[in-house]
């Protein structure tokens, strides 16, 4: 039934390794492999297992209930449990000690909860082992940002100069037009007055 299906989804077991599923570690260092699980209806005799490259078991523990911490079933000697299931989060993270290049690969955190009809869920995290941690060089990025910013500044300056020049040219042209109109009007008036006076002169008597 649809209602029962939605109910089952709401109470489903979930496992997470955090926001990112990739971890980088320096050779011969210790690295944390995070994992938590959530379940709305609680758990009973829950079993969690860590696998390397899908098949190699490196840690397995069992949790009786929320009031108890996990008990060890089996583990790789270099793997240490660092989580806690009696606090707010059901943390089942582990630490891999003295990391080697051969440890690089896929790590699976798998959980099985008998209280949810043996519901199972897992999450994967990928480990990369490096000889030396390389710091990110942001010089090129800063140069690009500086160049782009400079170009934008020059473009804005060019547009401002263009507007000022066009404004000055427009004002100059308007001034010339006013001078031409004024001069033309004065000439016509003077010519007209001169013509009128000439016409009003009486012809000489014989």
């Amino acid at each position: 039934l649809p209602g029962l299906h939605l109910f089952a989804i709401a109470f489903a077991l979930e496992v997470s390794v955090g926001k990112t599923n990739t971890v980088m570690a320096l050779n011969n260092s210790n690295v944390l492999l995070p994992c938590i699980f959530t379940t709305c209806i609680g758990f009973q005799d829950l079993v969690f297992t860590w696998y390397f490259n899908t098949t190699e078991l490196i840690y397995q523990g069992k949790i009786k209930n929320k009031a108890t911490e996990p008990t060890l079933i089996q583990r790789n000697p270099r793997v240490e449990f660092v989580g806690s299931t009696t606090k707010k989060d059901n943390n089942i993270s582990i630490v891999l000690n003295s990391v080697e290049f051969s440890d690089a690969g896929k790590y699976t955190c798998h959980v099985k909860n008998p209280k949810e009809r043996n519901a199972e869920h897992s999450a994967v995290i990928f480990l990369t082992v490096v000889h030396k941690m390389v710091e990110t060089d942001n010089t090129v990025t800063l140069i690009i940002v500086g160049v782009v910013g400079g170009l934008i500044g020059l473009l804005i300056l060019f547009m401002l100069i263009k507007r000022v020049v066009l404004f000055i040219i427009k004002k100059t042209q308007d001034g010339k037009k006013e001078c031409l109109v004024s001069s033309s009007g004065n000439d016509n008036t003077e010519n007209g007055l001169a013509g009128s006076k000439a016409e009003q002169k009486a012809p000489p008597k014989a």
Side-chain angles (χ1 to χ4, degrees):
L1 295 176
L4 291 176
H5 180 68
L6 291 175
F7 180 82
I9 292 175
F11 290 91
L13 175 69
E14 291 187 5
V15 179
S16 173
V17 292
K19 294 181 179 179
T20 178
N21 67 337
T22 58
V23 173
M24 182 177 291
L26 189 63
N27 183 44
N28 204 36
S29 67
N30 301 335
V31 61
L32 172 69
L33 299 178
C35 184
I36 61 171
F37 70 88
T38 56
T39 173
C40 294
I41 63 173
F43 55 88
Q44 187 76 34
D45 296 326
L46 180 143
V47 176
F48 66 95
T49 310
W50 278 91
Y51 294 99
F52 173 56
N53 286 339
T54 307
T55 57
E56 184 182 341
L57 189 154
I58 59 173
Y59 193 96
Q60 187 173 58
K62 185 176 183 179
I63 315 168
K64 186 176 180 180
N65 52 50
K66 184 65 180 176
T68 60
E69 293 290 355
T71 56
L72 173 66
I73 298 176
Q74 55 180 317
R75 72 180 180 99
N76 181 295
R78 291 194 297 123
V79 176
E80 180 183 354
F81 180 79
V82 293
S84 175
T85 54
T86 57
K87 298 179 182 178
K88 183 178 178 180
D89 294 326
N90 295 315
N91 188 338
I92 50 175
S93 303
I94 59 173
V95 167
L96 180 59
N97 296 312
S98 303
V99 172
E100 303 171 355
F101 289 108
S102 59
D103 293 323
K106 182 175 74 171
Y107 289 80
T108 303
C109 178
H110 178 270
V111 176
K112 182 178 181 180
N113 186 15
K115 193 171 182 178
E116 291 184 77
R117 295 186 178 182
N118 288 321
E120 298 181 49
H121 197 256
S122 60
V124 173
I125 190 167
F126 294 92
L127 173 65
T128 302
V129 182
V130 295
H131 177 69
K132 182 181 179 181
M133 290 291 189
V134 180
E135 294 184 3
T136 305
D137 189 359
N138 294 323
T139 305
V140 176
T141 303
L142 292 174
I143 292 173
I144 293 172
V145 171
V147 171
V148 172
L151 290 174
I152 293 173
L154 287 174
L155 181 61
I156 293 172
L157 181 62
F158 173 77
M159 295 298 292
L160 289 174
I161 293 173
K162 181 180 177 183
R163 288 177 68 88
V164 172
V165 171
L166 289 175
F167 177 77
I168 294 171
I169 292 173
K170 186 175 184 300
K171 283 292 184 184
T172 304
Q173 289 177 345
D174 290 345
K176 286 182 179 179
K177 286 180 182 178
E178 289 177 2
C179 290
L180 289 172
V181 170
S182 178
S183 299
S184 176
N186 291 334
D187 290 345
N188 290 338
T189 304
E190 289 172 2
N191 290 338
L193 288 173
S196 298
K197 288 177 181 177
E199 289 171 0
Q200 288 174 5
K201 243 181 195 183
K205 292 182 180 181

